[in-house]
Amino acid sequence: MLIIKTIIRLRSTLDKARAKGQTIGFVPTMGSFHEGHLSLMRQAKKDNDLCVVSIYVNPTQFGPKEDFKKYPRDLRRDSSMILKENIDILFVPSDNEIYSDRYLTYIDVEKISQPLCGHFRPGHFRGVATVVAKLLNIVQPHVMYLGQKDAQQVAVLRTMIQDLNFPVKVEVVATSREQDGLAMSSRNKYLSPKDRQESVVLYKALSSAKAMVESGTSSPAKVKATIKSLIKKESSGKIQYVECVNADTLETLKRFEGRVLIALAVFFGKTRLIDNIVIPQHDSRKIKS
Amino acid sequence: MLIIKTIIRLRSTLDKARAKGQTIGFVPTMGSFHEGHLSLMRQAKKDNDLCVVSIYVNPTQFGPKEDFKKYPRDLRRDSSMILKENIDILFVPSDNEIYSDRYLTYIDVEKISQPLCGHFRPGHFRGVATVVAKLLNIVQPHVMYLGQKDAQQVAVLRTMIQDLNFPVKVEVVATSREQDGLAMSSRNKYLSPKDRQESVVLYKALSSAKAMVESGTSSPAKVKATIKSLIKKESSGKIQYVECVNADTLETLKRFEGRVLIALAVFFGKTRLIDNIVIPQHDSRKIKS
């Protein structure tokens, strides 16, 4: 595995690969790897000649009161953790390499950046869209791999890529979960043992919600209420949001139809966890009739 | 010359060229060609294996009260005019091809989009940056050719390309002028004979300003006043702005230093003309001492 720190060296390495006709799979990350990241890398490796993984904790996607400074960074741990994955290139640029002193350009994906996490993290998806556009132009991959755990990020980036005609395919990989169902996250390590135990309620609640929708419940309000009451009953988590939206446009659903995304964010202590579940091509009218 | 209307066909044609190792020079235009466009195409043709020219009158860069609807469109004239230039591909996408019904993504280049034309055309450079990013992702050229006539456009796009790491080189071609000095523009044809005659004052004033700076005048205020009084004296043009700025950052100059851009916009009747002149690496202190 090559560890590359500069854009110029990465480009010259990848230009040679492209000239040989090799395909490039790309996994953008903020490091602090867990099994979820590895599943993205394995898929990228399986589908392409080369797998490029980036680690960059992007300052522009953190709000002023968020955990940018304390976000876990441990390149030694991360690089040893993926040694057996046969990653070809690990790209670990410095802040200076990504944002110059005179940096001025930002990408807004309107509407789809506003609800859910976007409502509570203003500017977050602007930062995400901007850094991913940069990484796409630097790596020029054939396929980019994203995790379904960050459902809004997937929707925002898919829209940006389609709107700006980036010549890249997006593959979304299912959320990796702990044995008890908790979605893997770099932030799970912050949970107290009690919060860790209680956090299983998130996936439990989402699974119940999915079952309700699939069995014909037509009211998103009812489903949201069920999720909220289960979380309140079985944990001390503070709910930030629970929403039922169209999985592609993120527009609020008045009734269940199309590809449904049920997404939530809940604080356990100071740790904010997000999770979601997708119900493909649903039509509540068909189930009822 | 191939005339291509769809992204999918353009991509498949250019993918084949790239696979053969051919280099691609790209000239983005809004059509209504004049000698200035041809000079860009000739440079692109000279420097590269293939020259791709796009014609797209981009709605997102026109303000609600601007001339989007009446902007001249004549593909027959344009395509016949460039037949002898040996252009390889003329890309003429429809509005639907560029902006879908669900289009949501925009690129802002902060600060540099705000002064000069940006002040009077809010949103203009957002539209320009967005459509050029799209065209760069569609064409994936090695070099893009821009005209110095649109000096702020050059500065905005250079910044966007550098900031977002687009893998393309930018070449700026000198402004083409009529024999009497008027900068060529698709909008010149709107001028009345009297306004056309008077409009020569713009280049005359810019040339005098350049001479003043080169001979040691240190005060931008004085140079601006000279330009304005000459325009008022020798024409009925209504001045929108005259500014002395740094040619790269477009920051207002308090004294002449670095690469100087003197730019102006003047209305003749309803027709808005812009022009500018660049003074490379100037330092008024050195001349004085």
Side-chain angles (χ1 to χ4, degrees):
Chain A
M1 182 172 75
L2 272 177
I3 297 183
I4 296 183
K5 296 186 177 183
T6 65
I7 294 169
I8 195 166
R9 184 154 166 248
L10 182 68
R11 278 203 167 132
S12 80
T13 307
L14 291 177
D15 281 349
K16 283 173 208 154
R18 262 187 297 271
K20 282 189 244 168
Q22 292 184 306
T23 61
I24 298 164
F26 175 47
V27 183
T29 82
M30 301 211 301
S32 193
F33 293 148
H34 51 65
E35 204 49 37
H37 298 103
L38 302 189
S39 72
L40 295 172
M41 296 175 203
R42 285 170 198 149
Q43 191 65 44
K45 190 71 198 166
K46 194 179 149 204
D47 297 346
N48 300 277
D49 297 318
L50 283 184
C51 174
V52 178
V53 175
S54 69
I55 298 180
Y56 182 61
V57 183
N58 173 36
T60 66
Q61 73 190 66
F62 287 82
K65 290 180 181 173
E66 291 181 359
D67 59 349
F68 173 64
K69 281 195 177 158
K70 74 162 199 168
Y71 196 87
R73 292 163 174 86
D74 189 344
L75 180 58
R76 187 174 301 226
R77 173 192 166 279
D78 281 344
S79 52
S80 73
M81 191 167 161
I82 61 171
L83 270 183
K84 62 181 178 303
E85 304 299 333
N86 283 312
I87 303 306
D88 301 279
I89 295 172
L90 183 60
F91 179 50
V92 285
S94 66
D95 275 349
N96 293 339
E97 192 72 5
I98 298 295
Y99 295 108
S100 76
D101 286 349
R102 307 197 67 106
Y103 193 87
L104 294 173
T105 307
Y106 294 93
I107 298 179
D108 278 305
V109 182
E110 295 181 345
K111 289 185 183 164
I112 216 160
S113 296
Q114 299 309 312
L116 309 178
C117 293
H119 181 74
F120 299 97
R121 306 186 70 186
H124 172 66
F125 289 109
R126 182 180 224 220
V128 169
T130 300
V131 82
V132 170
K134 287 170 64 65
L135 289 168
L136 286 175
N137 280 338
I138 293 166
V139 177
Q140 296 175 256
H142 297 78
V143 191
M144 175 166 71
Y145 294 81
L146 300 173
Q148 177 56 38
K149 159 93 174 333
D150 298 302
Q152 188 169 15
Q153 177 169 279
V154 167
V156 167
L157 293 177
R158 270 192 194 284
T159 303
M160 176 188 80
I161 285 166
Q162 186 174 324
D163 281 356
L164 293 183
N165 307 96
F166 276 98
V168 64
K169 222 179 120 188
V170 175
E171 288 288 347
V172 179
V173 176
T175 302
S176 295
R177 298 183 178 279
E178 303 289 352
Q179 286 208 323
D180 61 7
L182 178 65
M184 292 200 184
S185 164
S186 305
R187 290 176 174 116
N188 288 351
K189 66 184 72 157
Y190 298 142
L191 295 170
S192 72
K194 175 173 159 289
D195 287 340
R196 172 64 190 80
Q197 267 192 322
E198 290 183 4
S199 65
V200 298
V201 74
L202 303 184
Y203 186 57
K204 192 175 155 187
L206 288 169
S207 303
S208 308
K210 187 179 182 192
M212 280 175 79
V213 176
E214 286 175 340
S215 68
T217 305
S218 64
S219 159
K222 208 163 150 187
V223 167
K224 282 160 62 174
T226 305
I227 294 174
K228 286 180 181 176
S229 80
L230 192 63
I231 293 172
K232 283 176 193 164
K233 192 178 136 208
E234 300 196 0
S235 81
S236 56
K238 299 243 178 309
I239 296 167
Q240 190 179 57
Y241 70 78
V242 175
E243 295 295 346
C244 301
V245 299
N246 177 288
D248 301 307
T249 66
L250 305 191
E251 284 165 357
T252 303
L253 294 177
K254 286 179 187 157
R255 59 182 189 78
F256 290 109
E257 61 181 337
R259 229 161 64 84
V260 172
L261 172 71
I262 306 178
L264 52 77
V266 176
F267 278 96
F268 286 86
K270 285 185 177 175
T271 305
R272 182 176 175 275
L273 300 182
I274 60 172
D275 201 354
N276 68 80
I277 206 159
V278 171
I279 305 156
Q281 288 311 332
H282 185 77
D283 189 337
S284 56
R285 285 172 306 186
K286 280 192 189 156
I287 292 173
K288 284 198 148 178
S289 63
Chain B
M1 183 173 73
L2 270 177
I3 296 182
I4 296 185
K5 296 187 175 183
T6 65
I7 295 169
I8 195 165
R9 185 156 164 246
L10 182 68
R11 278 203 167 131
S12 80
T13 307
L14 292 176
D15 281 349
K16 282 173 208 151
R18 264 187 296 271
K20 281 188 244 168
Q22 292 184 305
T23 61
I24 298 164
F26 175 49
V27 183
T29 83
M30 300 211 300
S32 192
F33 294 147
H34 51 66
E35 203 51 35
H37 297 104
L38 301 188
S39 73
L40 294 172
M41 294 176 203
R42 283 168 199 150
Q43 193 63 45
K45 189 72 199 168
K46 194 178 149 205
D47 298 347
N48 301 276
D49 298 318
L50 283 185
C51 174
V52 178
V53 175
S54 68
I55 298 180
Y56 182 61
V57 184
N58 173 36
T60 67
Q61 72 189 65
F62 287 82
K65 290 178 183 173
E66 290 181 0
D67 58 348
F68 173 63
K69 282 198 178 156
K70 74 161 199 170
Y71 197 87
R73 294 164 173 86
D74 189 345
L75 180 58
R76 188 173 299 224
R77 173 192 167 280
D78 282 344
S79 52
S80 72
M81 192 168 163
I82 61 172
L83 271 184
K84 63 183 178 302
E85 303 299 332
N86 281 314
I87 303 308
D88 300 279
I89 295 172
L90 183 62
F91 178 50
V92 284
S94 65
D95 275 350
N96 293 340
E97 193 71 5
I98 297 296
Y99 295 109
S100 76
D101 287 347
R102 308 197 65 106
Y103 194 86
L104 294 172
T105 306
Y106 295 92
I107 297 180
D108 278 305
V109 182
E110 295 180 346
K111 290 186 182 162
I112 215 159
S113 298
Q114 298 309 310
L116 309 179
C117 294
H119 181 73
F120 298 97
R121 305 185 71 187
H124 172 66
F125 290 109
R126 180 180 226 221
V128 170
T130 300
V131 81
V132 171
K134 288 171 63 65
L135 290 167
L136 287 175
N137 280 337
I138 292 167
V139 177
Q140 295 175 258
H142 297 78
V143 192
M144 175 167 70
Y145 295 83
L146 299 173
Q148 177 57 38
K149 158 93 173 335
D150 298 302
Q152 187 168 16
Q153 177 169 281
V154 167
V156 167
L157 293 178
R158 270 193 195 283
T159 303
M160 177 189 79
I161 284 167
Q162 186 173 324
D163 281 357
L164 293 183
N165 307 95
F166 276 98
V168 65
K169 222 178 121 190
V170 175
E171 288 289 348
V172 179
V173 176
T175 302
S176 295
R177 298 184 179 281
E178 303 291 351
Q179 287 208 322
D180 62 7
L182 177 65
M184 292 200 185
S185 163
S186 305
R187 289 176 176 117
N188 289 352
K189 67 184 73 158
Y190 299 141
L191 295 170
S192 71
K194 175 173 162 288
D195 288 339
R196 172 65 189 81
Q197 268 191 320
E198 292 183 3
S199 65
V200 298
V201 73
L202 303 185
Y203 186 58
K204 191 175 159 191
L206 288 170
S207 302
S208 310
K210 187 179 182 193
M212 281 176 78
V213 177
E214 285 174 342
S215 68
T217 306
S218 65
S219 156
K222 209 164 146 185
V223 168
K224 281 160 61 175
T226 305
I227 293 174
K228 285 180 183 177
S229 80
L230 193 64
I231 292 172
K232 282 175 194 164
K233 193 179 135 208
E234 301 197 0
S235 81
S236 56
K238 298 246 176 311
I239 297 168
Q240 189 178 59
Y241 70 80
V242 175
E243 296 293 345
C244 302
V245 299
N246 177 288
D248 300 308
T249 66
L250 306 191
E251 284 164 357
T252 304
L253 294 177
K254 286 177 188 159
R255 60 183 187 78
F256 291 108
E257 61 181 336
R259 229 162 64 84
V260 172
L261 171 72
I262 306 178
L264 52 76
V266 176
F267 278 94
F268 286 85
K270 284 186 176 175
T271 305
R272 183 176 174 275
L273 299 182
I274 60 172
D275 201 353
N276 68 81
I277 206 157
V278 171
I279 305 157
Q281 286 314 328
H282 186 78
D283 188 338
S284 56
R285 286 170 307 185
K286 279 191 190 158
I287 292 174
K288 287 196 148 178
S289 65

